[in-house]
Amino acid sequence: MSETAITLTSGAKIYARMTWLRMKRGRIVWAAALLLALPVVYVAALAIAGHWGRGLFDDVCELYFRFLIPFVPALTASGAVAEEIENKTFTFVFARPAPRGSLVLGKLVATTLPALAVIVPSLLVSWLIAHLRFPGDMADTWPHLLRVEFAAVAGLMTFAALAMVIGTVFSRHPIVTVLIYLLLIEAGLGSAPIVINLVAISWHLRNLAELPLPETAFMAFSVPWWASAIVPLVLTPLLTFLATVAVNGAEYRTDR
Amino acid sequence: MSGAFIECEHSAKWYGQIIAVNDVSLSVASGVTGLLGPNGAGKSTLLKMMVGQLRPSKGTVKVLGESVWGNRPLMRRIGYCPEHEGTYEDLTGLEMVTAMTELHGFSRDEARARAEKMFGMVDLTEAMNRRLGEYSKGMRQRAKLAQALAHDPEVIFLDEPLTGCDPLARVRILEVINDLAARGRCVVVSSHVLHEIETMTSQILLMHKGQLRAEGDVHQIRALIDAHPHKVRVECDRPRALAERLVGQEHVVGVTVDGEALVIDTRMPDRLYPAIPEAARASGVYIRALTSPDDNMAAVFKYLTETATS
């Protein structure tokens, strides 16, 4: 016998590889990658039409932060754990000595890394295209690019963790439930003209990325960018932990 | 541990008002033990409590002397083949069994070697690089068996392992189970078909409506089941041709063609089962699956209950 103790991380690695193998044979991951890369075409078209500079780059960032960053994880991550429950394949994996939390962690890694691998270069390419006409402006706007990239990475991870925890708890209709959350909280409250818009993750991502914020007519106050950075940095591990707790103590029935 | 591999004491499991397993106490030693009962008897729930996927609402469930729920290290010593058909459709059989074996702490190379060996053992080597979504029901059952055995567990739980298997798969699975028993493993096999259990063991646990109704030698209830017509459903390409071959044989009480299946009534299932492949071979019929509908066991339990009442 040459078994070694299976830890949270070693188990997560196996689940991540398994999930990636399955994802790359499906369509969703490729559709998500295409969606995340699509703004590059948009920025190129606008550049040809005569737009340029930070204004153009911020226009493209709107696409990412308003739609793609919240919605792409809903497609890729919400069903990751839920499908194990609904397809009953959890009966195979929970009969192993690997910690159940490694399933959550592995799925999160497998669904987030490919998205990051597309969004980071596509933002960079968009920024380069936006500055093709006046490359000298790059020296002034690269700190903004860094903030945008950081906000995009943090945002994707947070929304993926959020989609996963919602999908774990509401395993029957994971995508629908995540979409309801996104429409009510992120799109609805997030753009409300009162201070309550601060509850939306996307508000903090926009603040972090130095993008225009929705106008707050009542009780407006400014939040420093570093405070907004704390939101995804705290939420991602917290949501992952919650998904792990939900899976750890759960008894799933197979007779439904 | 007192020689028992599995011990349940007053174990019960309920979901709200529904009692799935009701005050079950039992002890299982090495070798093959059949867990017999009609659908809904609580067999699968009891097995899931034994493999740590359900927490007993009451009582204790111990495997190898240890409580199972939340006991991850114990999972190394347990193998579980679930009843449902759900698998990772987009993985190949080899990828799935390798990953499952890795999750026991084996390196990828060793896990793969073990998985390949298991596919050989269940006669599925040629199909191991095909996706599970392309597998027939019998092939899935064998792949599920492979993932349950690749880490060489001491206690193995097989939930309805012969359901939907073609005759060849059935024979191979039975051989594997008998081999495990010969190697001193403890194997618990659930089924709602007495004949299936009989071919593996004489040691049975009889469940009905969540309760353990009897335990001991299978031959005692064998007489009871013989008193009831036993149904066998054969899914094949030409059921009428198969029916022509079987009608008139002394162990066949009646036949019914149901779409692409032939339903045979018999009072001598042990004689009928070997006769089916022979008749199929003689008439050139291709058999896809052999199943024994649940009403066989239900009839016996109905009889048992009525006898007890009267």
Side-chain angles (χ1 to χ4, degrees):
Chain A
M1 291 287 230
S2 53
E3 299 146 272
T4 53
I6 192 103
T7 61
L8 185 72
T9 47
S10 59
K13 214 170 133 185
I14 298 163
Y15 285 123
R17 198 174 53 242
M18 219 172 129
T19 307
W20 171 241
L21 260 179
R22 300 178 58 215
M23 276 170 57
K24 73 177 185 185
R25 288 170 187 166
R27 288 184 191 149
I28 286 181
V29 71
W30 302 113
L34 192 69
L35 276 175
L36 288 173
L38 217 53
V40 177
V41 180
Y42 175 70
V43 75
L46 286 180
I48 292 165
H51 299 263
W52 65 84
R54 177 166 169 169
L56 173 57
F57 183 56
D58 281 356
D59 280 351
V60 179
C61 287
E62 282 293 322
L63 271 180
Y64 281 106
F65 285 88
R66 200 177 283 272
F67 301 107
L68 298 175
I69 291 173
F71 284 92
V72 166
L75 277 179
T76 56
S78 64
V81 174
E83 60 146 19
E84 298 271 354
I85 300 165
E86 289 306 304
N87 295 340
K88 300 168 187 170
T89 44
F90 72 87
T91 53
F92 296 115
V93 298
F94 292 169
R96 318 284 152 187
R100 288 186 178 191
S102 56
L103 175 73
V104 173
L105 205 59
K107 296 248 176 191
L108 188 66
V109 169
T111 52
T112 312
L113 278 186
L116 293 179
V118 177
I119 200 168
V120 171
S122 71
L123 275 168
L124 177 66
V125 172
S126 299
W127 180 75
L128 287 171
I129 293 172
H131 289 82
L132 271 181
R133 190 172 289 190
F134 298 104
D137 291 351
M138 285 180 179
D140 296 330
T141 59
W142 71 263
H144 175 53
L145 170 70
L146 286 185
R147 290 266 290 270
V148 167
E149 291 276 21
F150 177 63
V153 170
L156 262 182
M157 290 173 65
T158 309
F159 278 113
L162 180 77
M164 194 161 284
V165 74
I166 293 176
T168 305
V169 177
F170 302 96
S171 61
R172 288 211 143 170
H173 305 289
I175 293 187
V176 174
T177 320
V178 174
L179 288 179
I180 289 172
Y181 166 83
L182 291 178
L183 292 173
L184 285 181
I185 307 296
E186 297 299 328
L189 287 184
S191 52
I194 49 173
V195 74
I196 203 166
N197 56 24
L198 287 178
V199 299
I201 299 165
S202 50
W203 190 96
H204 292 281
L205 296 178
R206 297 170 70 87
N207 191 34
L208 179 56
E210 294 179 293
L211 293 173
L213 292 166
E215 288 213 359
T216 305
F218 310 107
M219 300 167 68
F221 66 91
S222 70
V223 177
W225 71 268
W226 55 265
S228 280
I230 292 172
V231 172
L233 292 179
V234 169
L235 273 183
T236 306
L238 180 68
L239 292 167
T240 311
F241 175 73
L242 286 178
T244 304
V245 169
V247 167
N248 256 340
E251 297 175 80
Y252 298 110
R253 293 175 66 177
T254 54
D255 54 353
R256 289 190 304 187
Chain B
M1 205 169 84
S2 69
F5 280 68
I6 304 160
E7 287 170 307
C8 294
E9 278 183 36
H10 304 291
S11 308
K13 182 72 193 173
W14 55 76
Y15 306 100
Q17 299 289 311
I18 301 163
I19 301 174
V21 172
N22 188 4
D23 197 30
V24 168
S25 294
L26 56 86
S27 171
V28 178
S30 66
V32 182
T33 301
L35 184 59
L36 200 62
N39 283 344
K43 305 185 298 290
S44 293
T45 304
L46 183 62
L47 284 187
K48 283 197 203 92
M49 286 159 73
M50 289 172 172
V51 296
Q53 298 203 355
L54 291 177
R55 188 208 301 253
S57 306
K58 188 181 149 242
T60 57
V61 177
K62 287 184 177 181
V63 173
L64 297 164
E66 295 178 38
S67 181
V68 195
W69 174 255
N71 190 343
R72 286 196 294 111
L74 187 61
M75 294 301 130
R76 283 171 182 266
R77 304 168 71 187
I78 293 176
Y80 175 48
C81 176
E83 177 192 15
H84 62 81
E85 277 188 59
T87 54
Y88 298 99
E89 307 279 291
D90 28 26
L91 290 184
T92 68
L94 184 61
E95 285 167 348
M96 187 239 187
V97 178
T98 301
M100 291 301 128
T101 312
E102 275 185 89
L103 287 168
H104 280 280
F106 292 101
S107 69
R108 204 190 310 186
D109 287 343
E110 181 158 4
R112 192 185 161 93
R114 281 172 174 264
E116 284 173 348
K117 190 178 161 195
M118 284 304 119
F119 274 101
M121 195 169 88
V122 297
D123 273 351
L124 218 54
T125 303
E126 282 179 18
M128 69 183 181
N129 289 312
R130 274 166 54 189
R131 290 192 193 178
L132 285 160
E134 298 167 11
Y135 279 21
S136 69
K137 210 167 178 179
M139 289 161 85
R140 278 165 196 246
Q141 291 287 37
R142 284 184 279 166
K144 275 160 50 183
L145 187 61
Q147 63 79 32
L149 303 179
H151 57 288
D152 197 19
E154 292 162 60
V155 185
I156 300 117
F157 298 94
L158 310 175
D159 199 352
E160 305 267 1
L162 299 178
T163 302
C165 284
D166 57 74
L168 283 177
R170 190 175 282 258
V171 167
R172 192 65 207 124
I173 291 174
L174 289 174
E175 283 172 0
V176 170
I177 292 170
N178 289 331
D179 179 55
L180 288 168
R183 285 163 45 210
R185 302 290 189 258
C186 171
V187 188
V188 178
V189 188
S190 85
S191 176
H192 61 267
V193 184
L194 178 65
H195 179 77
E196 283 181 1
I197 295 291
E198 260 187 318
T199 54
M200 296 176 236
T201 182
S202 61
Q203 205 54 34
I204 59 156
L205 300 164
L206 211 71
M207 280 193 83
H208 187 44
K209 294 187 176 172
Q211 288 183 315
L212 190 66
R213 288 295 170 96
E215 58 180 305
D217 198 290
V218 72
H219 298 108
Q220 288 163 0
I221 67 154
R222 181 77 179 99
L224 281 173
I225 205 153
D226 281 350
H228 291 80
H230 185 104
K231 281 187 195 303
V232 176
R233 184 182 170 85
V234 187
E235 286 176 38
C236 56
D237 56 349
R238 288 183 298 125
R240 286 182 194 282
L242 187 63
E244 278 172 26
R245 281 275 165 186
L246 289 168
V247 167
Q249 295 192 11
E250 60 169 330
H251 40 268
V252 176
V253 176
V255 292
T256 318
V257 175
D258 179 15
E260 287 209 334
L262 183 68
V263 181
I264 309 163
D265 289 291
T266 179
R267 288 187 194 279
M268 289 180 262
D270 51 339
R271 292 184 61 186
L272 175 68
Y273 278 105
I276 295 170
E278 280 172 26
R281 204 179 307 120
S283 53
V285 170
Y286 172 69
I287 296 178
R288 285 188 298 275
L290 253 179
T291 51
S292 188
D294 188 48
D295 18 335
N296 298 325
M297 281 309 294
V300 171
F301 282 106
K302 188 164 175 268
Y303 177 80
L304 279 171
T305 313
E306 281 169 0
T307 309
T309 312
S310 63

